[in-house]
Structures are given as structure tokens and as C-alpha cells.
């Protein structure tokens, strides 16, 4: 089919009925073909919510997720097997890469030799940036805490570290050799304290389940935006220290929300916490505003959403007069920062 002999609308109709991986392969025919696809499919590319890499055990699956949550498999990047049949070669950013159609399903595969993994992934990623655009969100999602994440342009890594044993892996070194993570799900088998400058604390979102009282070690040096902590034990003084550090501006400058849930039988001492943080109170006759936030990692189906906070209790940060709502309910402690001064916050209820 000589596509360029057909009018634009017919070309667009043909491309609209192709899957992303076919458009990708077709773009290698010529620069003219690539430009035509990008022009015809501009609106379709804008409907992409994110492109996700799922990396584990020397295999990386790439899928494309639209804003309507429909997912399309794109490519599997894997170590070359002994079969030499069916491969065809494409040149991406100066690197020749072998591709073939998967024997199991419709997805196509990109092969790499044992020492080429990162360079192959980098070449494919750079071509995708050029083809789909660098305004999209590119996510690297993994549960592999042995191998480092490729450091690629516009790539936000996340990791699930459930039941990780700090005695078997140098976690401090792992985080130092990786770029800061967008999200960390963290459940170690025993308590661990990271150095104050650890990249662990630079994650935008931390989700952690702990069976010991080391709540302070997780959040004492936290530099991110959202934290979700489930902890078997708690100490009232930890909450007071946390809020007062925020109030003074000493720490948690970027924090948007903290959700804490105690898993043990002891309730949080409500009055002691409120007295210790110098809590302010909204007139009981007024309905306080509800603090809500979308979850940062809306591309992660297991990522929690911040709990809405509707509370008559709040505190004020001294340096910029910003307000944070505070809610203490039996075994739950919720803290939500507003992008409002105290005057603006109170005025919003008038």
C-alpha cells in the first residue's frame, strides 16, 4: 500500500486502526513516515497517560496506558536466547538492536546480550521520547532491589520492597546508586535507620508497614510529599516531635500529607498530642474545609490515596503562616498541609 498517495484523512484512518507497536515499527521506514505518523496521531498520543517499564530478572516489559486506563502491551526487552531465527534489525540512536515477534503472543521482543542490557533499554527509551514526546510520564516500576534502575531522561522509578532483609543487602548503598524514587513501598524484616542524607528520604511517596516502633527513623529526615505509615507500636512523643518540626520549618518543607495507622491495641493519646503541638481550634459552630489530595502515583494500582481530612484542629507553620489540618482518632493520625495562610484558611469558611 503506497500510503503517501492517499489523502491525509485516509492515512489517518489507517494509522488510527494500528496498535502502538505497529506504528513504532512503521516509523523506521523513513523520516517522512515517522513525521506523518506523529502528525496524524498527535491527539492519540496526547491521550496516553503514561508509559510504564516493569523491570525484573533481566526482563523488562513496556506497556502504554491511556487516560481511560486501557493498557496496550508494547515491547518486551529480554536477554537473547539461543534461537537465531526470526530476528530483524533496527537502528535506534546509533545502536543496532535485534527485534522479533514473540512466539507466545502478539507483543514483539527486543534482544540484548548479557553486557548490553542498559544500552539497549536506553536506545529504545530515547527513541520513544522522540516518537511519543518528552511531555509524557515514563515510569520504571520494579520489585528488584538487587539491580540498579537505568538512569534515563524523564524516567521516574518506583520500587516495592516487601519483606526485604537488611542483613542480605546493603540498602544504604542500593539507594545511593539509584536515582531518587518517586515511590517506595517498604517493609523490612527488622528495623533499619538510614543516614540522614540517604536518598531513601528523597522519595516523593513512602508507603511502609512496620512491626516495630521505628516511626521516627522513617520520617525524621523525610523530604518527600506523601507518607503512609502502618505501625504496630507508636509513641505519643513521636507525633509531637513531628508536628513541631514542621511548625518550626526545621523539616518536612515539601510535605503534603501524612497518614498514620496504629496496628496495635493502644489508642493514640489525643489530648497529650494536641497540647504538645499547640493545636488551634476552629469554631465548633462552623464546618471546617476538607483537605483532599490526589495520590501522586496514580499510575500504580496499589498506591494509596490520601485520606480526606475534615477537622476542627489545625496548626500553623511559623516561617510562612501555612496551615495544616490535624486529625487524631483512636489509632489514626492524619496530617494535611494546605496551600493557604491562616487568614486565607479561616476566610474560606466565611
Amino acid at each position: 500500500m503506497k500510503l503517501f498517495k492517499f489523502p491525509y484523512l485516509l492515512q489517518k484512518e489507517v494509522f488510527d486502526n494500528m496498535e502502538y507497536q505497529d506504528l513504532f515499527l512503521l516509523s523506521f521506514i523513513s523520516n517522512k513516515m515517522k513525521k506523518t505518523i506523529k502528525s496524524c496521531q498527535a491527539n492519540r498520543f496526547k491521550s496516553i497517560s503514561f508509559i510504564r517499564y516493569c523491570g525484573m530478572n533481566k526482563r523488562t516489559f513496556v506497556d502504554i496506558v491511556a487516560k481511560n486506563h486501557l493498557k496496550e502491551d508494547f515491547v518486551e526487552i529480554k536477554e537473547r536466547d539461543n534461537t537465531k531465527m526470526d530476528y530483524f534489525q533496527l537502528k535506534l540512536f546509533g545502536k543496532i538492536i535485534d527485534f522479533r515477534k514473540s512466539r507466545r503472543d502478539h507483543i514483539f521482543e527486543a534482544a540484548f546480550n548479557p553486557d548490553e542490557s542498559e544500552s539497549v533499554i536506553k536506545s529504545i527509551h530515547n527513541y520513544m521520547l522522540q516518537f511519543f514526546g518528552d511531555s509524557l510520564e515514563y515510569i520504571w516500576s520494579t520489585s528488584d532491589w538487587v539491580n540498579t534502575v537505568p538512569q534515563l531522561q524523564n524516567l521516574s522509578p518506583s520500587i516495592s520492597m516487601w519483606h526485604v532483609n537488611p542483613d542480605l543487602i546493603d540498602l544504604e548503598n542500593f539507594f545511593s546508586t539509584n536515582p531518587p524514587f518517586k515511590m517506595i513501598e517498604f517493609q523490612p524484616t527488622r528495623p533499619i535507620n538510614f543516614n540522614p542524607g540517604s536518598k531513601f528520604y528523597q522519595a516523593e511517596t513512602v508507603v511502609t508497614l512496620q512491626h516495630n516502633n521505628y516511626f521516627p527513623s522513617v520520617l525524621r529526615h523525610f523530604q518527600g510529599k506523601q507518607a503512609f505509615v502502618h505501625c504496630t507500636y507508636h509513641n505519643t512523643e513521636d507525633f509531637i516531635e513531628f508536628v513541631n518540626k514542621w511548625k518550626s520549618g526545621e523539616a518536612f518543607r515539601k510535605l503534603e500529607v501524612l497518614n498514620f495507622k496504629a496496628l496495635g491495641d493502644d489508642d493514640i493519646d489525643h489530648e497529650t498530642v494536641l497540647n504538645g503541638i499547640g493545636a488551634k481550634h476552629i469554631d465548633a459552630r462552623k464546618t471546617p474545609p476538607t483537605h483532599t489530595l490526589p495520590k501522586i502515583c496514580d499510575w500504580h494500582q496499589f498506591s494509596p490515596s490520601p485520606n480526606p481530612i475534615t477537622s476542627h484542629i489545625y496548626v500553623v507553620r511559623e516561617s510562612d503562616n501555612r496551615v495544616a489540618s490535624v486529625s487524631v482518632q483512636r489509632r489514626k493520625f492524619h496530617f494535611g498541609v494546605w496551600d493557604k495562610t491562616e487568614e486565607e484558611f479561616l476566610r474560606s469558611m466565611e
Side-chain angles (χ1 to χ4, degrees):
M1 180 184 289
K2 297 181 179 180
L3 278 172
F4 292 128
K5 287 190 174 182
F6 293 100
Y8 177 85
L9 289 178
L10 187 53
Q11 293 177 21
K12 184 177 184 303
E13 185 69 20
V14 172
F15 293 139
D16 284 348
N17 286 279
M18 287 185 172
E19 294 186 345
Y20 284 117
Q21 59 179 302
D22 295 321
L23 293 174
F24 182 77
L25 293 176
L26 200 60
S27 72
F28 288 92
I29 291 177
S30 67
N31 285 330
K32 182 179 179 181
M33 178 64 76
K34 181 163 68 174
K35 290 178 181 178
T36 303
I37 294 172
K38 291 175 67 174
S39 174
C40 288
Q41 299 296 289
N43 288 333
R44 184 177 175 187
F45 288 178
K46 288 178 182 177
S47 72
I48 297 174
S49 178
F50 56 86
I51 295 177
R52 175 174 50 202
Y53 297 77
C54 298
M56 188 67 183
N57 294 332
K58 298 183 180 180
R59 300 173 70 180
T60 302
F61 294 89
V62 184
D63 54 39
I64 297 174
V65 182
K67 291 177 180 176
N68 61 4
H69 304 296
L70 291 177
K71 186 188 78 166
E72 185 176 314
D73 294 332
F74 186 68
V75 63
E76 179 184 357
I77 307 170
K78 59 187 293 188
E79 189 168 349
R80 179 188 299 277
D81 58 28
N82 294 326
T83 305
K84 295 183 179 180
M85 300 294 290
D86 304 327
Y87 282 111
F88 58 92
Q89 294 186 326
L90 296 174
K91 188 175 183 179
L92 288 79
F93 279 78
K95 186 171 185 62
I96 302 297
I97 300 176
D98 288 340
F99 289 88
R100 72 176 179 185
K101 205 73 171 180
S102 172
R103 296 179 176 181
R104 297 190 310 275
D105 46 45
H106 71 285
I107 194 171
F108 71 103
E109 302 172 351
F112 60 84
N113 293 318
D115 59 342
E116 293 185 315
S117 173
E118 189 163 340
S119 63
V120 168
I121 292 172
K122 182 177 181 179
S123 295
I124 293 174
H125 177 75
N126 286 338
Y127 191 89
M128 291 174 66
L129 280 174
Q130 187 184 78
F131 187 63
F132 292 111
D134 58 9
S135 61
L136 287 177
E137 188 167 25
Y138 294 82
I139 302 298
W140 183 279
S141 180
T142 185
S143 56
D144 180 357
W145 54 73
V146 177
N147 298 301
T148 57
V149 174
Q151 301 201 26
L152 304 175
Q153 181 183 347
N154 283 39
L155 187 71
S156 300
S158 75
I159 189 166
S160 297
M161 307 182 77
W162 296 116
H163 308 294
V164 59
N165 187 344
D167 298 320
L168 300 179
I169 178 174
D170 185 347
L171 290 173
E172 194 72 69
N173 180 67
F174 173 80
F175 286 112
S176 69
T177 54
N178 275 291
F181 285 89
K182 192 172 181 77
M183 184 175 76
I184 299 173
E185 296 176 304
F186 190 63
Q187 184 189 2
T189 56
R190 65 165 176 80
I192 178 172
N193 287 305
F194 292 103
N195 293 323
S198 172
K199 283 187 179 178
F200 175 85
Y201 298 116
Q202 296 177 23
E204 285 193 27
T205 300
V206 168
V207 182
T208 180
L209 173 63
Q210 308 163 26
H211 295 295
N212 303 84
N213 178 27
Y214 58 107
F215 166 63
S217 69
V218 173
L219 285 178
R220 184 162 283 156
H221 307 290
F222 187 57
Q223 301 171 35
K225 295 181 178 180
Q226 299 184 2
F228 303 85
V229 180
H230 288 197
C231 191
T232 304
Y233 306 104
H234 63 272
N235 186 330
T236 300
E237 295 301 319
D238 296 339
F239 299 105
I240 296 173
E241 178 186 358
F242 161 76
V243 175
N244 287 335
K245 278 189 173 183
W246 179 86
K247 285 176 62 179
S248 69
E250 178 184 346
F252 316 116
R253 297 291 300 180
K254 295 180 182 178
L255 187 70
E256 295 177 349
V257 67
L258 164 66
N259 289 170
F260 177 92
K261 182 177 181 180
L263 303 177
D265 297 328
D266 295 332
D267 291 346
I268 299 171
D269 191 330
H270 182 275
E271 291 301 321
T272 300
V273 170
L274 297 190
N275 290 333
I277 65 176
K280 295 191 174 186
H281 298 264
I282 297 171
D283 190 325
R285 295 168 296 180
K286 294 183 178 181
T287 302
T290 299
H291 181 278
T292 58
L293 282 175
K295 57 185 178 182
I296 288 179
C297 302
D298 58 357
W299 41 264
H300 193 297
Q301 60 179 325
F302 301 114
S303 176
S305 296
N307 293 99
I309 304 172
T310 305
S311 175
H312 284 83
I313 302 164
Y314 70 96
V315 291
V316 180
R317 188 159 57 193
E318 299 164 2
S319 59
D320 55 9
N321 208 31
R322 284 291 184 271
V323 168
S325 292
V326 180
S327 174
V328 184
Q329 301 175 2
R330 296 193 63 193
R331 301 184 185 101
K332 295 180 180 180
F333 176 87
H334 294 160
F335 185 88
V337 181
W338 293 84
D339 187 20
K340 294 182 179 186
T341 64
E342 184 176 17
E343 292 76 16
E344 293 168 338
F345 177 73
L346 295 175
R347 196 182 305 127
S348 68
M349 290 177 284
E350 295 177 359

